[in-house]
Amino acid sequence: VTTGESLEFTVPPNKYVSQGALTPEDLKLYETTGFGSVGTGAPWAQGPRRLAVDRNGDMVWVGLYAGNNLLRINTHTLDYKIFPMPSFDDLGAYMPVVDNSHNVWVDIQGSDAVEKLDAKTGKWIRYEWPTRGAAPRNISLLDQNGNIQVICAYWGTSSVGRMMVRTKADLQVIKAEAQQAVARNQ
């Protein structure tokens, strides 16, 4: 801000699909369908979409829609790491958001789910929306007092969903209540 300068970061190509991996027939189909003309780029492109900043850290997160990856960039060093999405069945890591614990939540536009990445461990947790055909496109988080709510706009069904994520303590209370109910009914 003080210098007025901006930087540009070139997203590395998708390592799962490269130009050399495509047959001449694949390339001809790509050229003749006009798919690249709608701004999607080459088949090996990553297709960066929405950005998120970890307000309690030094990272910028980018959904790599076409590459089905999530990109983390250090704001000071520009070092980066790519986190592949856990499934190729879903396409479209569209919009990440970061919670107070530095976990990254990503809506998956080609699915009915939201994925959470623990960036420290690299492990993903999937949360399914109850709406089929949701095609989530926008995601927001409310992270207060250890309680997380995920709010998502469903492009595919013209609706909005809210998910209240239960903590381990919440689950222990539910489990105890269920065990008490079973004991009463025996």
Side-chain angles (χ1 to χ4, degrees), residues 122-137:
K123 293 185 180 180
W124 292 92
I125 298 175
R126 183 182 183 93
Y127 297 87
E128 292 282 340
W129 291 106
T131 303
R132 299 296 104 195
R137 191 170 175 130

Side-chain angles (χ1 to χ4, degrees), residues 63-74:
L64 299 177
Y65 178 78
N68 207 31
N69 295 304
L70 184 63
L71 172 67
R72 179 184 71 194
I73 306 170
N74 183 298

Side-chain angles (χ1 to χ4, degrees), residues 11-28:
V11 176
N14 190 347
K15 70 179 184 177
Y16 299 106
V17 178
S18 68
Q19 188 171 6
L22 300 172
T23 67
E25 293 81 18
D26 293 333
L27 289 171
K28 182 160 180 66

Side-chain angles (χ1 to χ4, degrees), residues 13 21 23 51-52 61 66 69-70 73 81 92 132 145 150 164 171:
T23 67
L51 306 173
W61 294 88
N69 295 304
L70 184 63
I73 306 170
K81 181 172 181 176
R132 299 296 104 195
N145 305 320
V150 181
M164 297 172 67
L171 294 174

Side-chain angles (χ1 to χ4, degrees), residues 150-173:
V150 181
I151 298 94
C152 202
Y154 300 155
W155 179 78
T157 59
S158 297
S159 55
V160 174
R162 180 182 79 160
M163 180 185 306
M164 297 172 67
V165 181
R166 293 187 172 131
T167 65
K168 288 182 181 180
D170 293 336
L171 294 174
Q172 288 174 343
V173 168

